[in-house]
Amino acid sequence: MKKILIPIAIIAVIGFIVYSKAVGVYNTFVQTEETINGQWAEVETQYQRRADLIPNLVNTVKGYADFEQETLTGVIEARAKATSITLQADDLTPENIAKFQGAQDQLSGSLSRLLVAVERYPDLKANQNFLELQAQLEGTENRIAVARRNFNQSVQGYNSNLRIFPNNIFAGWYGFERKGYFEASAGSENAPTVEF
């Protein structure tokens, strides 16, 4: 009878250890996924803040009758495209983040062209409302950069934890998958050319 109890006790102890590890890994993945979801919400909040500032900026610029309509139309269309792409926190695949980032990059490019075009209008540059909106937009761009960095750090911790042994086995069982990162925009590795 004692000979049977020893193997049963060993199997029970091993089973308990595996069960404890599996539960711990699952709970860790859930917690880090929730952290990523919170970071993603912050990214969306900052992009929404920028999208909310753009109509005010465009309306301020529209007050100058001879301003380039093509530039304003480009900003309005890019904003519409950027705000039409919604990405849920549970669908943060690298492909979906790349689509989202592409639309946001297009909006950033349109805003840059708008701000460059403003340089030709000294009265507009001196307009207090425009200056305040421009300062808010610059602050929002900084907030976006911080939110994206925090999101990427959370994703890095999650993806690293997902890939280490034996967590990768449990992750496969539970269906946890790698999350995507925000990456540098195409062409950002090249410094802009400044000519006088």
Side-chain angles (χ1 to χ4, degrees):
M1 185 72 166
K2 287 184 180 180
K3 290 182 180 182
I4 291 178
L5 288 179
I6 292 175
I8 290 174
I10 291 173
I11 291 172
V13 168
I14 291 172
F16 179 75
I17 291 170
V18 169
Y19 173 78
S20 296
K21 178 65 177 171
V23 168
V25 167
Y26 178 82
N27 289 339
T28 299
F29 283 139
V30 169
Q31 288 171 338
T32 52
E33 235 179 20
E34 287 304 312
T35 299
I36 289 170
N37 293 348
Q39 294 295 334
W40 179 249
E42 181 63 23
V43 168
E44 287 185 313
T45 299
Q46 297 311 323
Y47 276 122
Q48 185 61 50
R49 176 182 161 85
R50 178 174 74 171
D52 291 345
L53 285 172
I54 290 171
N56 294 332
L57 186 66
V58 168
N59 287 334
T60 301
V61 172
K62 267 187 189 175
Y64 290 81
D66 57 344
F67 199 83
E68 292 93 351
Q69 279 303 117
E70 184 180 325
T71 305
L72 291 175
T73 303
V75 171
I76 293 167
E77 289 172 358
R79 178 188 180 271
K81 182 177 179 185
T83 56
S84 71
I85 295 178
T86 56
L87 188 55
Q88 300 303 316
D90 60 351
D91 199 19
L92 297 175
T93 63
E95 298 81 24
N96 288 342
I97 288 183
K99 287 179 194 172
F100 182 84
Q101 184 177 353
Q104 296 299 333
D105 288 347
Q106 185 179 4
L107 179 56
S108 294
S110 295
L111 282 173
S112 295
R113 285 188 292 282
L114 174 69
L115 295 176
V116 166
V118 163
E119 293 297 319
R120 294 189 293 261
Y121 298 88
D123 292 344
L124 178 57
K125 285 186 356 184
N127 180 299
Q128 189 61 37
N129 192 25
F130 176 78
L131 292 174
E132 288 175 15
L133 287 168
Q134 188 177 17
Q136 287 182 25
L137 193 59
E138 288 170 3
T140 299
E141 292 295 335
N142 290 336
R143 289 178 183 190
I144 288 170
V146 169
R148 285 173 55 158
R149 185 192 69 227
N150 292 342
F151 174 79
N152 279 348
Q153 288 174 340
S154 297
V155 169
Q156 180 185 16
Y158 173 84
N159 286 346
S160 296
N161 196 24
L162 187 81
R163 294 178 65 200
I164 57 177
F165 182 81
N167 293 358
N168 57 352
I169 295 170
F170 295 117
W173 288 351
Y174 297 132
F176 290 101
E177 297 177 353
R178 291 183 67 180
K179 303 288 184 190
Y181 292 98
F182 272 105
E183 296 179 7
S185 303
S188 65
E189 67 278 358
N190 301 325
T193 304
V194 179
E195 296 179 16
F196 293 102

